[in-house]
């Protein structure tokens, strides 16, 4: 078995605010795409804010003939791949002076294990696929954003399936229950969601609880709390602290105390805190995948504590046959 790892954009400056950059993608079956972001600290001795830095990638879209196969923010891409246990997002931060460099590499996957010849985005004609990244202004504390895009292809194979992930953004008009339609074109492997506020930083999290309804009947998650949904990111990948900001409160005695210890850790910024995860494909073999294409109606019933914005992130399991000539998914038979 062979693979081809290629660079398609090397250390390209973003240039300014609200820039959208399109990069053509290769034609052979794709395992995954790597996106490396580099930035500089604007001033010396500034605490890093990794969620803010990833927020510079407002949207990452992989398109086939204009159809969105992946459409998520940079921060949500990190959250999804971390929760699936596919990618360890290790930031590089080696110095604290003004202009000190920061680097992190994100992974956009097309298979549940990377490099699986049966789970790839299929071969296409030249010009049919592209990666479109919409950038915002450089986040607070950083400047000089640049990026690199690479891909891994597996030639001479015919994959049977690939991952698709899109974003459903909404803001409720009021607190209480709201039903949100979920996609029904293919099996649903996971459902993630990003919220505006989480506990205990906020008095109440944006979301209190969630349930899944298929044809108006409870399905799997008859009711799950937001606290449990956040913790369930650890099902496939133990929740590490690789992108969390940790504070230590200094000794607060009125006078100097030799060898005094600081207080225990306080996590003041965490990319995982404002993210919930409802997995279905626990074992990675499809046994528990929600067969969304078999239902007439599929909804998430969300109980909102506050009328604040959220993003739902369904992870679907598509087959190449669903890439119809017109770019629309083939609907299951009714």
């Amino acid at each position: 078995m062979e693979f081809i790892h290629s660079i398609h954009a090397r250390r390209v400056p973003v240039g300014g605010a609200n820039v959208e950059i399109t990069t053509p993608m290769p034609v052979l079956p794709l395992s995954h795409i790597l996106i490396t972001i580099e930035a500089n600290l604007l001033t010396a001795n500034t605490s890093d804010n990794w969620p803010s830095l990833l927020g510079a990638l407002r949207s990452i879209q992989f398109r086939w003939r204009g159809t969105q196969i992946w459409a998520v923010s940079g921060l949500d891409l990190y959250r999804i791949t971390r929760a699936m246990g596919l990618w360890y997002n290790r930031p590089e931060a080696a110095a604290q002076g003004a202009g000190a460099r920061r680097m992190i590499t994100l992974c956009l996957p097309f298979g549940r294990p990377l490099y699986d010849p049966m789970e790839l985005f299929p071969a296409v004609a030249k010009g049919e696929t592209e990666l479109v990244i919409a950038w915002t202004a450089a986040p607070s504390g950083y400047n000089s954003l640049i990026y690199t895009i690479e891909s891994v292809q597996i030639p001479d194979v015919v994959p049977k399936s690939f991952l698709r992930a899109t974003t459903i953004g909404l803001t409720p008009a009021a607190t209480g229950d709201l039903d949100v339609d979920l996609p029904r074109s293919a099996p649903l492997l996971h459902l993630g969601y990003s919220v505006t506020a989480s506990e205990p930083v906020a008095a109440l999290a944006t979301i209190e609880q969630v349930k899944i309804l298929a044809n108006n009947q409870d399905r799997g998650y008859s009711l799950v709390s937001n606290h449990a949904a956040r913790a369930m990111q650890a099902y496939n990948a133990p929740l590490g602290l690789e992108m969390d900001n940790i504070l230590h409160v200094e000794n607060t005695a009125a006078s100097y105390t030799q060898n005094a210890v600081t207080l225990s850790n306080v996590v003041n910024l965490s990319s995982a805190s404002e993210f919930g995860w409802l997995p279905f494909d626990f074992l990675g073999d499809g046994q528990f995948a929600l067969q969304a294409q078999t239902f007439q109606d599929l909804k998430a019933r969300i109980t909102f504590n506050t009328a604040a914005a959220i993003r739902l992130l369904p992870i679907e399991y598509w087959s190449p046959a669903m890439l119809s000539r017109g770019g629309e998914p083939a609907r299951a038979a009714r």
Side-chain angles (χ1 to χ4, degrees):
M1 189 71 66
E2 297 184 1
F3 67 91
I4 302 170
H5 189 129
S6 306
I7 297 177
H8 306 284
R10 186 196 306 271
R11 292 188 166 172
V12 178
V14 172
N18 301 317
V19 175
E20 186 173 281
I21 301 174
T22 299
T23 304
M25 288 287 98
V27 300
L28 298 177
L30 270 174
S31 169
H32 53 285
I33 298 168
L34 300 177
I35 306 167
T36 299
I37 306 108
E38 301 180 49
N40 293 346
L41 278 184
L42 193 58
T43 58
N45 303 318
T46 304
S47 293
D48 279 300
N49 186 326
W50 299 108
S52 178
L53 179 56
L54 291 181
L57 287 82
R58 178 170 54 85
S59 172
I60 300 172
Q61 296 186 40
F62 178 84
R63 299 175 181 171
W64 172 81
R65 296 185 185 177
T67 296
Q68 295 177 346
I69 305 301
W70 274 78
V72 297
S73 70
L75 181 54
D76 287 339
L77 178 59
Y78 154 72
R79 290 164 163 165
I80 289 169
T81 55
R82 187 71 177 83
M84 291 184 72
L86 285 176
W87 191 251
Y88 182 87
N89 297 268
R90 182 176 185 269
E92 300 289 344
Q96 290 292 338
R101 297 169 66 198
R102 297 293 185 260
M103 304 175 69
I104 186 169
T105 300
L106 301 176
C107 177
L108 190 156
F110 293 104
R112 290 170 295 182
L114 303 179
Y115 291 93
D116 185 339
M118 292 295 98
E119 294 195 12
L120 309 166
F121 191 79
V124 296
K126 184 177 180 180
E128 286 190 324
T129 56
E130 59 189 10
L131 186 71
V132 182
I133 302 180
W135 298 86
T136 64
S140 176
Y142 300 95
N143 63 9
S144 304
L145 286 175
I146 65 175
Y147 68 94
T148 297
I149 296 174
E150 305 171 55
S151 72
V152 173
Q153 303 171 84
I154 310 293
D156 303 321
V157 296
V158 181
K160 295 182 178 180
S161 56
F162 60 90
L163 301 179
R164 180 181 190 240
T166 53
T167 301
I168 303 170
L170 63 99
T171 302
T175 59
D177 289 346
L178 179 66
D179 287 356
V180 183
D181 288 321
L182 299 177
R184 293 178 289 110
S185 295
L188 185 66
L189 299 181
H190 308 285
L191 178 65
Y193 63 83
S194 294
V195 297
T196 298
S198 64
E199 299 174 48
V201 176
L204 287 174
T206 305
I207 287 175
E208 179 65 23
Q209 59 194 25
V210 183
K211 73 185 309 177
I212 301 299
L213 294 168
N215 292 345
N216 209 34
Q217 299 294 318
D218 292 352
R219 192 77 180 193
Y221 293 105
S222 61
L223 201 60
V224 56
S225 71
N226 178 67
H227 304 317
R230 178 171 60 183
M232 288 192 298
Q233 295 176 64
Y235 272 147
N236 293 101
L239 283 176
L241 299 174
E242 72 273 15
M243 286 184 63
D244 290 349
N245 283 9
I246 308 299
L247 296 181
H248 297 270
V249 179
E250 294 180 344
N251 180 266
T252 57
S255 59
Y256 171 77
T257 304
Q258 188 177 21
N259 300 323
V261 297
T262 64
L263 296 180
S264 57
N265 290 348
V266 174
V267 180
N268 73 315
L269 285 171
S270 172
S271 301
S273 292
E274 294 171 353
F275 185 66
W277 186 244
L278 304 182
F280 292 97
D281 190 31
F282 305 97
L283 305 177
D285 59 4
Q287 284 191 57
F288 291 95
L290 183 61
Q291 301 301 317
Q293 74 281 10
T294 66
F295 301 116
Q296 297 281 350
D297 183 71
L298 183 63
K299 289 181 169 64
R301 178 166 294 167
I302 305 170
T303 304
F304 284 87
N305 287 321
T306 61
I310 70 165
R311 297 186 301 277
L312 289 180
L313 303 159
I315 317 299
E316 300 174 84
Y317 196 54
W318 274 31
S319 68
M322 294 176 66
L323 297 174
S324 65
R325 181 171 297 178
E328 294 296 327
R331 285 288 182 184
R334 296 286 190 243

